[in-house]
Structures are given as C-alpha cells and as structure tokens.
Amino acid sequence: MKDVADPIDRALLDDWQRDFPVVSRPFAELAKAAGTSEIDVLNRLADMQENGTITRVGATCAPNTLSASTLAAVAAPEDRIEEVAAIINEDPGVNHSYEREDQWNIWFVATGPDRDAVNASLDRISKRTGLRVIDLRLLRPFNIDLGFKMAGQDTPVMHATPRALDMSAIRDGDKALMNILTKGMPLVAAPYAVIADQLGRSEATVLARVSALTDAGVLSRLGVIVRHRKLGWKSNAMVVWQVAEADIPEAGTQLATLPGVTLCYERRPVADVWPYRLYCMIHAQSREAAMAVLDKARALPALEGIDHKVLFSTRCFRQTGAMIAKEKEAAE
C-alpha cells in the first residue's frame, strides 16, 4: 500500500469515504475534524483529484434504483484488446472497464437512466466491436459497499450492513440531483448551493433530498472516492462461483462477511458460456495476499468443493461515476 505520510491527507482519505457532511459548508466540517482550514482541505482534495489519488468527492447510488446497470464482458482477440477497449470506453453508458485474466477478458459496467438505455449501450458495443457481449445482471447484493483504509490495514476496511432500501422515498428531480453527485460535487466552500443553482432549486431543498435519499438507502455512499490502485491495492481478483441457486443465500452470506472480500453479489448466469451465479471481489496489496483470502473463501462450509474461476485484473481502462439521467433530463 502506498504510504500516505501526511496526517491531514490520511485523515481526509480514511475518515471521509462515507458519511460526508450534508450541511451548507461541508468542507469546513472536514477542516475542523482535521485541525486545518477549509481552504486547505479544498486545495488538498483538488490536488488529490488532479494526481489521481481520488476520482471525486461524490456519491454512489444503490444499483437499479434511480438508474439501471449491468456487468458485461467480451472475449476480445489478443491483438484487438486496445481497439475493443477504446470502443467500449467511448460509449457514454460505460463507467468502469477492466482487462481480466480470462478468455472473457474485457469487463465493464454499463449504466443508464433505465434498462432500455443499458440494452442500447450493450447493442452498440456489440455492433461496433463485432463481438458477443454477455449481460450479467445483478440479482441480489450481499455486500456492495467498498472503502479502503489508509492507516496500516492489511485488507480494505469492512463496513456495516447498508440501510434497508425504501423506493417510496424517491421524488421528481432526484435523478438529476444524483446524476450530479455521482459525477462529483464541485470542490468549493458551498457545493450544495452550487448544485442547487444548477438544478434551479434551493440549497435547503437539495440538502433535504440528499438526507432523504441517504436515509432511504438509495444514496448508498457519499464521500471521498479513492483510486485504490493508485494507493497500492493493485492485486484485485474477481472470483466467480458455480453455486446452485438454492444455495446462494447461505453461500453469499458466508462469503460477504469474510475479511478481505470487498464486494459480493449474485448475478444472472448465461447458460451456454457463463454458468456462475455468485461473485466476489478481493482487493489486496499483492497476488499472494489475494490468494490467501481466496484460500479462506474456499474453506467456507458453503463453498467447499465448489467450482470457481479467479480473474485477476491486469489493467483498469476506465473508472468514473455512473450515468443516472439522460443529458437533457439532467439539465432540467
């Protein structure tokens, strides 16, 4: 792990990956906690964004609530990997893409305001690349909340169980608000006021909606979003397990609580090429450390002897916030 030597930088990264203040002057709250000034905090975060330590200060949205998304993959010939990755990353719906060690070697997340938009994104990519795209839709999350501890931890920090999802809390205009937050809030003293001005709403209304969406579990995390590779978490493996559908609840529950497993969820299999239902991510500082976590996962009662694949990431092509609203809708 990269040593974040400056204690204020480390505090900003460690303490504010979630529970970012929903107040008029949030960066002043960070400054007070860190023992520095508001302008110093803003400058530090701007520098971290500029040098790639963080992607943004912003939000993540619970999947398939205000928007739609899916995990997808293509099997690109070795001599076309760069070309195919470039085509995938040109699509406006793609917010994450990685090369992984497998025949299905380029993996990406396609997002959009609704499922039709995601389908259109996958269709465009298939037509432009001439490759089959497998669509691995999320069925059930067990642990989808990810944070990274800078202060001497061997594994990424684990977080508490997320809030129960209450879709009835969603109101008109929330998509446009979340679209701004997922892309990243402005690094200014009063960011919510700037966002309110962009939306033609009052700052008080924006603050109230952010709080309501957080309480409802729709806004799953608000804070500093780090680039884990930049900070030393470079050995990242996606492990897929061929667990019977009836056994998924027990296996997913056991796997999600294992230290070192950072994400865990069930996805819809693709019968002829991809029979795996249960997925987990292991983020580690070395391949050996990742494999040590995998050994513990293999020993879990629900996973002992279960067929699985390990797909280490070799390159990150893209990592941005999700698209929540169409461009016109976001501007209204």
Side-chain angles (χ1 to χ4, degrees):
M1 181 179 63
K2 178 183 176 182
D3 180 29
V4 181
D6 188 283
I8 295 177
D9 285 351
R10 189 166 61 245
L12 293 174
L13 293 172
D14 263 356
D15 299 342
W16 298 106
Q17 290 183 42
R18 61 188 53 263
D19 300 327
F20 189 79
V22 187
V23 297
S24 184
R25 301 288 289 265
F27 297 106
E29 296 291 316
L30 272 62
K32 182 178 179 181
T36 187
S37 67
E38 181 182 53
I39 191 63
D40 184 46
V41 166
L42 288 166
N43 287 337
R44 286 170 181 270
L45 291 171
D47 287 346
M48 290 183 201
Q49 190 166 312
E50 178 68 23
N51 67 32
T53 301
I54 67 174
T55 65
R56 63 196 184 279
V57 177
T60 56
C61 187
N64 301 318
T65 52
L66 287 172
S67 62
S69 65
T70 196
L71 178 67
V74 299
E78 196 68 27
D79 61 353
R80 292 190 62 203
I81 289 176
E82 299 282 350
E83 171 210 344
V84 170
I87 291 170
I88 289 170
N89 291 336
E90 285 172 3
D91 196 277
V94 172
N95 71 320
H96 288 75
S97 63
Y98 292 88
E99 182 183 2
R100 300 192 189 279
E101 296 174 349
D102 192 71
Q103 175 191 355
W104 296 93
N105 52 3
I106 303 181
W107 290 75
F108 60 97
V109 176
T111 66
D114 51 41
R115 185 64 218 189
D116 287 345
V118 172
N119 289 343
S121 179
L122 300 184
D123 287 344
R124 284 192 301 270
I125 289 168
S126 181
K127 288 175 183 175
R128 290 192 64 200
T129 61
L131 299 172
R132 180 179 180 179
V133 176
I134 55 172
D135 178 6
L136 303 159
R137 302 187 190 190
L138 181 70
L139 296 177
R140 177 170 16 188
F142 292 98
N143 175 20
I144 56 171
D145 197 7
L146 179 60
F148 293 87
K149 197 76 172 172
M150 301 301 112
Q153 295 287 330
D154 292 330
T155 58
V157 64
M158 300 296 292
H159 296 300
T161 303
R163 295 176 177 86
L165 188 61
D166 179 10
M167 295 288 285
S168 69
I170 297 171
R171 300 287 183 268
D172 289 344
D174 285 346
K175 273 193 175 185
L177 170 59
M178 284 299 298
N179 198 62
I180 293 173
L181 290 175
T182 56
K183 291 182 184 301
M185 65 172 58
L187 295 179
V188 297
Y192 298 110
V194 173
I195 293 169
D197 186 60
Q198 292 172 352
L199 296 171
R201 309 175 81 178
S202 70
E203 182 188 44
T205 299
V206 166
L207 291 169
R209 292 313 304 152
V210 172
S211 294
L213 291 169
T214 301
D215 291 342
V218 175
L219 194 165
S220 55
R221 179 155 64 101
L222 181 63
V224 178
I225 312 296
V226 305
R227 287 192 186 274
H228 54 270
R229 286 175 175 268
K230 180 81 171 181
L231 289 163
W233 306 97
K234 294 181 178 179
S235 293
N236 307 322
M238 182 177 75
V239 187
V240 294
W241 308 80
Q242 196 172 347
V243 178
E245 186 173 1
D247 298 331
I248 287 288
E250 181 61 26
T253 300
Q254 290 183 19
L255 189 56
T257 57
L258 183 70
V261 169
T262 48
L263 301 169
C264 184
Y265 35 75
E266 179 189 8
R267 293 190 177 275
R268 189 182 70 177
V270 178
D272 60 328
V273 292
W274 199 258
Y276 306 98
R277 280 186 169 272
L278 187 62
Y279 292 63
C280 73
M281 282 298 303
I282 299 171
H283 289 79
Q285 297 170 40
S286 68
R287 197 178 185 103
E288 294 73 21
M291 294 304 294
V293 174
L294 179 58
D295 287 342
K296 293 177 183 177
R298 290 188 183 112
L300 292 171
L303 292 176
E304 193 171 1
I306 294 295
D307 185 35
H308 61 281
K309 267 190 175 188
V310 185
L311 292 82
F312 273 93
S313 304
T314 55
R315 271 189 289 182
C316 174
F317 292 116
R318 189 174 192 185
Q319 183 184 358
T320 64
M323 178 169 59
I324 305 294
K326 297 175 184 176
E327 185 175 345
K328 181 177 183 299
E329 182 180 359
E332 291 174 345

